[in-house]
PDB file of all heavy atoms in Angstrom:
ATOM      1  N   ILE K  42     -10.098 -30.228  51.206  1.00 97.00           N
ATOM      2  CA  ILE K  42     -11.510 -30.060  50.829  1.00 97.00           C
ATOM      3  C   ILE K  42     -12.058 -28.647  51.121  1.00 97.00           C
ATOM      4  O   ILE K  42     -12.109 -28.396  52.438  1.00 97.00           O
ATOM      5  CB  ILE K  42     -12.430 -31.197  51.400  1.00 97.00           C
ATOM      6  CG1 ILE K  42     -11.778 -32.493  51.221  1.00 97.00           C
ATOM      7  CG2 ILE K  42     -13.817 -31.026  50.872  1.00 97.00           C
ATOM      8  CD1 ILE K  42     -12.510 -33.624  51.827  1.00 97.00           C
ATOM      9  N   ASN K  50     -23.664 -32.932  53.451  1.00 92.00           N
ATOM     10  CA  ASN K  50     -22.801 -33.787  52.779  1.00 92.00           C
ATOM     11  C   ASN K  50     -21.692 -34.390  53.668  1.00 92.00           C
ATOM     12  O   ASN K  50     -20.988 -35.308  53.352  1.00 92.00           O
ATOM     13  CB  ASN K  50     -22.055 -33.055  51.544  1.00 92.00           C
ATOM     14  CG  ASN K  50     -23.061 -32.734  50.548  1.00 92.00           C
ATOM     15  OD1 ASN K  50     -23.862 -33.569  50.150  1.00 92.00           O
ATOM     16  ND2 ASN K  50     -23.071 -31.549  49.995  1.00 92.00           N
ATOM     17  N   MET K  51     -21.508 -33.633  54.842  1.00 93.00           N
ATOM     18  CA  MET K  51     -20.170 -33.858  55.637  1.00 93.00           C
ATOM     19  C   MET K  51     -20.123 -35.424  56.006  1.00 93.00           C
ATOM     20  O   MET K  51     -19.103 -35.919  55.964  1.00 93.00           O
ATOM     21  CB  MET K  51     -20.295 -32.938  56.853  1.00 93.00           C
ATOM     22  CG  MET K  51     -18.993 -32.576  57.372  1.00 93.00           C
ATOM     23  SD  MET K  51     -17.749 -32.154  56.310  1.00 93.00           S
ATOM     24  CE  MET K  51     -18.170 -30.519  55.819  1.00 93.00           C
ATOM     25  N   GLU K  52     -21.237 -35.914  56.691  1.00 93.00           N
ATOM     26  CA  GLU K  52     -21.185 -37.275  57.115  1.00 93.00           C
ATOM     27  C   GLU K  52     -20.836 -38.284  56.037  1.00 93.00           C
ATOM     28  O   GLU K  52     -19.902 -39.134  56.298  1.00 93.00           O
ATOM     29  CB  GLU K  52     -22.496 -37.583  57.756  1.00 93.00           C
ATOM     30  CG  GLU K  52     -22.390 -38.164  59.138  1.00 93.00           C
ATOM     31  CD  GLU K  52     -23.811 -38.345  59.766  1.00 93.00           C
ATOM     32  OE1 GLU K  52     -24.371 -37.332  60.260  1.00 93.00           O
ATOM     33  OE2 GLU K  52     -24.377 -39.488  59.698  1.00 93.00           O
ATOM     34  N   ALA K  53     -21.618 -38.187  54.999  1.00 93.00           N
ATOM     35  CA  ALA K  53     -21.300 -39.339  53.860  1.00 93.00           C
ATOM     36  C   ALA K  53     -20.032 -39.075  53.365  1.00 93.00           C
ATOM     37  O   ALA K  53     -19.249 -40.129  53.130  1.00 93.00           O
ATOM     38  CB  ALA K  53     -22.332 -39.000  52.835  1.00 93.00           C
ATOM     39  N   LEU K  54     -19.520 -37.823  53.180  1.00 95.00           N
ATOM     40  CA  LEU K  54     -18.195 -37.587  52.651  1.00 95.00           C
ATOM     41  C   LEU K  54     -17.107 -38.131  53.424  1.00 95.00           C
ATOM     42  O   LEU K  54     -16.208 -38.938  53.001  1.00 95.00           O
ATOM     43  CB  LEU K  54     -17.926 -36.013  52.624  1.00 95.00           C
ATOM     44  CG  LEU K  54     -16.515 -35.561  52.291  1.00 95.00           C
ATOM     45  CD1 LEU K  54     -16.165 -35.757  50.844  1.00 95.00           C
ATOM     46  CD2 LEU K  54     -16.333 -34.062  52.631  1.00 95.00           C
ATOM     47  N   LEU K  55     -17.211 -37.887  54.829  1.00 95.00           N
ATOM     48  CA  LEU K  55     -16.104 -38.382  55.799  1.00 95.00           C
ATOM     49  C   LEU K  55     -16.197 -39.977  55.811  1.00 95.00           C
ATOM     50  O   LEU K  55     -15.268 -40.611  55.883  1.00 95.00           O
ATOM     51  CB  LEU K  55     -16.275 -37.711  57.149  1.00 95.00           C
ATOM     52  CG  LEU K  55     -15.822 -36.247  57.066  1.00 95.00           C
ATOM     53  CD1 LEU K  55     -16.064 -35.597  58.427  1.00 95.00           C
ATOM     54  CD2 LEU K  55     -14.354 -36.132  56.688  1.00 95.00           C
ATOM     55  N   ASP K  56     -17.356 -40.524  55.868  1.00 94.00           N
ATOM     56  CA  ASP K  56     -17.482 -41.917  55.866  1.00 94.00           C
ATOM     57  C   ASP K  56     -16.803 -42.650  54.754  1.00 94.00           C
ATOM     58  O   ASP K  56     -15.914 -43.496  54.934  1.00 94.00           O
ATOM     59  CB  ASP K  56     -19.013 -42.363  55.625  1.00 94.00           C
ATOM     60  CG  ASP K  56     -19.756 -42.640  56.940  1.00 94.00           C
ATOM     61  OD1 ASP K  56     -18.991 -42.523  57.937  1.00 94.00           O
ATOM     62  OD2 ASP K  56     -20.878 -42.979  57.007  1.00 94.00           O
ATOM     63  N   ARG K  57     -17.127 -42.167  53.432  1.00 95.00           N
ATOM     64  CA  ARG K  57     -16.418 -42.678  52.291  1.00 95.00           C
ATOM     65  C   ARG K  57     -14.897 -42.396  52.297  1.00 95.00           C
ATOM     66  O   ARG K  57     -14.168 -43.293  52.012  1.00 95.00           O
ATOM     67  CB  ARG K  57     -17.099 -42.202  51.094  1.00 95.00           C
ATOM     68  CG  ARG K  57     -18.324 -42.930  50.642  1.00 95.00           C
ATOM     69  CD  ARG K  57     -19.141 -42.378  49.475  1.00 95.00           C
ATOM     70  NE  ARG K  57     -18.415 -42.287  48.306  1.00 95.00           N
ATOM     71  CZ  ARG K  57     -18.972 -41.747  47.162  1.00 95.00           C
ATOM     72  NH1 ARG K  57     -20.200 -41.345  47.197  1.00 95.00           N
ATOM     73  NH2 ARG K  57     -18.336 -41.779  46.096  1.00 95.00           N
ATOM     74  N   LEU K  58     -14.637 -41.172  52.548  1.00 96.00           N
ATOM     75  CA  LEU K  58     -13.193 -40.717  52.492  1.00 96.00           C
ATOM     76  C   LEU K  58     -12.360 -41.404  53.469  1.00 96.00           C
ATOM     77  O   LEU K  58     -11.174 -42.045  53.174  1.00 96.00           O
ATOM     78  CB  LEU K  58     -13.251 -39.220  52.635  1.00 96.00           C
ATOM     79  CG  LEU K  58     -11.764 -38.602  52.292  1.00 96.00           C
ATOM     80  CD1 LEU K  58     -11.479 -38.855  50.896  1.00 96.00           C
ATOM     81  CD2 LEU K  58     -11.902 -37.007  52.469  1.00 96.00           C
ATOM     82  N   VAL K  59     -12.745 -41.492  54.739  1.00 95.00           N
ATOM     83  CA  VAL K  59     -11.869 -42.197  55.807  1.00 95.00           C
ATOM     84  C   VAL K  59     -11.680 -43.635  55.390  1.00 95.00           C
ATOM     85  O   VAL K  59     -10.581 -44.224  55.553  1.00 95.00           O
ATOM     86  CB  VAL K  59     -12.617 -41.975  57.156  1.00 95.00           C
ATOM     87  CG1 VAL K  59     -11.943 -42.902  58.249  1.00 95.00           C
ATOM     88  CG2 VAL K  59     -12.565 -40.561  57.617  1.00 95.00           C
ATOM     89  N   LEU K  74     -10.207 -30.000  56.199  1.00 97.00           N
ATOM     90  CA  LEU K  74     -11.501 -29.436  55.777  1.00 97.00           C
ATOM     91  C   LEU K  74     -11.471 -27.992  56.000  1.00 97.00           C
ATOM     92  O   LEU K  74     -11.322 -27.478  57.205  1.00 97.00           O
ATOM     93  CB  LEU K  74     -12.662 -30.132  56.648  1.00 97.00           C
ATOM     94  CG  LEU K  74     -12.699 -31.630  56.473  1.00 97.00           C
ATOM     95  CD1 LEU K  74     -13.573 -32.155  57.564  1.00 97.00           C
ATOM     96  CD2 LEU K  74     -13.379 -31.988  55.166  1.00 97.00           C
ATOM     97  N   LEU K 127     -10.377 -32.377  46.622  1.00 94.00           N
ATOM     98  CA  LEU K 127     -11.679 -32.964  46.372  1.00 94.00           C
ATOM     99  C   LEU K 127     -12.850 -32.019  46.702  1.00 94.00           C
ATOM    100  O   LEU K 127     -12.526 -31.016  47.459  1.00 94.00           O
ATOM    101  CB  LEU K 127     -11.795 -34.136  47.579  1.00 94.00           C
ATOM    102  CG  LEU K 127     -12.535 -35.405  47.275  1.00 94.00           C
ATOM    103  CD1 LEU K 127     -11.924 -36.111  46.250  1.00 94.00           C
ATOM    104  CD2 LEU K 127     -12.597 -36.279  48.587  1.00 94.00           C
ATOM    105  N   ASP K 128     -13.887 -32.049  46.039  1.00 94.00           N
ATOM    106  CA  ASP K 128     -15.086 -31.198  46.533  1.00 94.00           C
ATOM    107  C   ASP K 128     -15.876 -31.927  47.571  1.00 94.00           C
ATOM    108  O   ASP K 128     -15.742 -33.096  47.745  1.00 94.00           O
ATOM    109  CB  ASP K 128     -16.027 -30.975  45.232  1.00 94.00           C
ATOM    110  CG  ASP K 128     -15.590 -29.944  44.430  1.00 94.00           C
ATOM    111  OD1 ASP K 128     -14.510 -29.250  44.628  1.00 94.00           O
ATOM    112  OD2 ASP K 128     -16.163 -29.719  43.351  1.00 94.00           O
ATOM    113  N   ALA K 129     -16.473 -31.021  48.417  1.00 94.00           N
ATOM    114  CA  ALA K 129     -17.198 -31.655  49.566  1.00 94.00           C
ATOM    115  C   ALA K 129     -18.422 -32.413  49.237  1.00 94.00           C
ATOM    116  O   ALA K 129     -19.092 -33.045  50.049  1.00 94.00           O
ATOM    117  CB  ALA K 129     -17.456 -30.509  50.650  1.00 94.00           C
ATOM    118  N   ASP K 130     -19.032 -32.192  47.979  1.00 91.00           N
ATOM    119  CA  ASP K 130     -20.343 -32.641  47.714  1.00 91.00           C
ATOM    120  C   ASP K 130     -20.397 -34.030  47.079  1.00 91.00           C
ATOM    121  O   ASP K 130     -21.378 -34.413  46.576  1.00 91.00           O
ATOM    122  CB  ASP K 130     -21.018 -31.606  46.829  1.00 91.00           C
ATOM    123  CG  ASP K 130     -20.244 -31.405  45.458  1.00 91.00           C
ATOM    124  OD1 ASP K 130     -19.256 -32.121  45.283  1.00 91.00           O
ATOM    125  OD2 ASP K 130     -20.482 -30.409  44.797  1.00 91.00           O
ATOM    126  N   LEU K 131     -19.192 -34.729  47.029  1.00 90.00           N
ATOM    127  CA  LEU K 131     -19.133 -36.138  46.605  1.00 90.00           C
ATOM    128  C   LEU K 131     -19.312 -36.138  45.135  1.00 90.00           C
ATOM    129  O   LEU K 131     -19.785 -37.242  44.611  1.00 90.00           O
ATOM    130  CB  LEU K 131     -20.167 -37.099  47.370  1.00 90.00           C
ATOM    131  CG  LEU K 131     -19.662 -37.471  48.677  1.00 90.00           C
ATOM    132  CD1 LEU K 131     -20.689 -37.998  49.610  1.00 90.00           C
ATOM    133  CD2 LEU K 131     -18.365 -38.285  48.729  1.00 90.00           C
ATOM    134  N   PRO K 135     -14.162 -40.221  45.935  1.00 95.00           N
ATOM    135  CA  PRO K 135     -12.845 -40.384  46.653  1.00 95.00           C
ATOM    136  C   PRO K 135     -12.238 -41.822  46.325  1.00 95.00           C
ATOM    137  O   PRO K 135     -11.022 -41.966  46.352  1.00 95.00           O
ATOM    138  CB  PRO K 135     -13.275 -40.512  48.115  1.00 95.00           C
ATOM    139  CG  PRO K 135     -14.667 -40.048  48.278  1.00 95.00           C
ATOM    140  CD  PRO K 135     -15.208 -40.162  46.905  1.00 95.00           C
TER     141      PRO K 135
END
Side-chain angles (χ1 to χ4, degrees):
I42 310 176
N50 291 316
M51 208 47 81
E52 225 175 281
L54 168 74
L55 289 176
D56 261 5
R57 272 171 67 178
L58 191 56
V59 167
L74 298 165
L127 214 62
D128 277 359
D130 54 11
L131 285 168

